[in-house]
C-alpha cells in the first residue's frame, strides 16, 4: 500500500471514530486500515500475544508512519491527547482477594516508554463528547417521561 493511500485511510478512520464516539484510539485505527486483525487484537488483550506490534501485519516503518499520521491529523483537527491505561482482559479474581490482579499490556517489543505512550494515547474531540453527553441525557429524560405515563 502506498503512503498516500495510507494517509487517507488513517485520517478517515480518526475522523469517523471521533464523529461516532468522540475519540479516536490508535488500536482502532490500526484495525480500520487493515494492519491489525480483530482476532489478533483480542489475542493481545487476553495476553496470548506478548506485544501489539507482533499482532500487526505490517513492518515497523509502516506502523511508525501510521502512528505519526494519527498524531498529525489529531493535532490539525484540534483533538486533545488523553492517555489510556491498557490492561489485560480475562484476569480471574483470586479467592479471598479484595481485587483482581492487573497486568499492563505492552504495545512494542522494546517497551520504550515514548512508544508505549503513543500507542496508549487516545485523541478526544471535546465538542463531540459534549454533544454525545447531551443526546444521552435527552434519551434518559425521554425514557423517564415515557415510563411515568
Amino acid at each position: 500500500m502506498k503512503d498516500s493511500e495510507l494517509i487517507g485511510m488513517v485520517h478517515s478512520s480518526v475522523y469517523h471514530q471521533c464523529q461516532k464516539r468522540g475519540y479516536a484510539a490508535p488500536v482502532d485505527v490500526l484495525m480500520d486500515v487493515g494492519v491489525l486483525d480483530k482476532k489478533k487484537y483480542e489475542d493481545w488483550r487476553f495476553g496470548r500475544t506478548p506485544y501489539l506490534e507482533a499482532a500487526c501485519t505490517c513492518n515497523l516503518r509502516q506502523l511508525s508512519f501510521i502512528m505519526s499520521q494519527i498524531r498529525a491529523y489529531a493535532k490539525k483537527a484540534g483533538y486533545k491527547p488523553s492517555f489510556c491505561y491498557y490492561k489485560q482482559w480475562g484476569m480471574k479474581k483470586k479467592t479471598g482477594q479484595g481485587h483482581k490482579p492487573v497486568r499492563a499490556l505492552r504495545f512494542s517489543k522494546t517497551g520504550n516508554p515514548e512508544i508505549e505512550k503513543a500507542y496508549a494515547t487516545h485523541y478526544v474531540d471535546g465538542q463531540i463528547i459534549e454533544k454525545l453527553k447531551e443526546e444521552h441525557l435527552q434519551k434518559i429524560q425521554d425514557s423517564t417521561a415515557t415510563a411515568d405515563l
Side-chain angles (χ1 to χ4, degrees):
M1 181 180 318
K2 294 181 182 178
D3 284 353
S4 58
E5 294 171 350
L6 201 51
I7 290 170
M9 292 172 70
V10 169
H11 290 194
S12 176
S13 174
V14 173
Y15 172 80
H16 285 101
Q17 284 183 43
C18 283
Q19 291 300 306
K20 182 178 179 180
R21 60 185 187 199
Y23 69 93
V27 292
D28 293 328
V29 173
L30 294 174
M31 285 190 279
D32 287 350
V33 300
V35 299
L36 178 61
D37 181 67
K38 184 172 173 68
K39 171 76 170 99
K40 289 184 177 184
Y41 167 74
E42 290 173 356
D43 286 344
W44 171 70
R45 287 304 302 252
F46 281 108
R48 295 186 288 260
T49 302
Y51 52 93
L52 182 69
E53 289 175 346
C56 293
T57 60
C58 65
N59 61 38
L60 291 178
R61 189 206 71 79
Q62 282 182 309
L63 278 175
S64 178
F65 182 74
I66 291 167
M67 295 300 294
S68 69
Q69 287 303 310
I70 293 169
R71 288 189 300 275
Y73 184 81
K75 184 176 182 179
K76 184 175 84 173
Y79 300 154
K80 181 181 172 191
S82 176
F83 179 78
C84 182
Y85 184 79
Y86 279 78
K87 56 188 174 186
Q88 183 176 323
W89 289 345
M91 296 293 291
K92 294 193 178 191
K93 185 188 283 189
K94 294 183 179 178
T95 310
Q97 300 291 330
H99 66 284
K100 288 184 177 183
V102 175
R103 182 171 165 250
L105 291 171
R106 282 188 49 188
F107 292 92
S108 65
K109 183 177 184 177
T110 63
N112 179 314
E114 289 180 25
I115 295 171
E116 298 293 313
K117 184 178 178 185
Y119 278 109
T121 299
H122 292 189
Y123 296 93
V124 181
D125 184 336
Q127 294 174 336
I128 296 290
I129 291 287
E130 288 303 316
K131 180 180 163 191
L132 292 171
K133 282 181 182 177
E134 288 174 14
E135 289 173 2
H136 181 70
L137 287 173
Q138 188 62 43
K139 284 181 186 177
I140 291 172
Q141 290 173 351
D142 290 348
S143 65
T144 303
T146 304
D148 289 342
L149 296 176

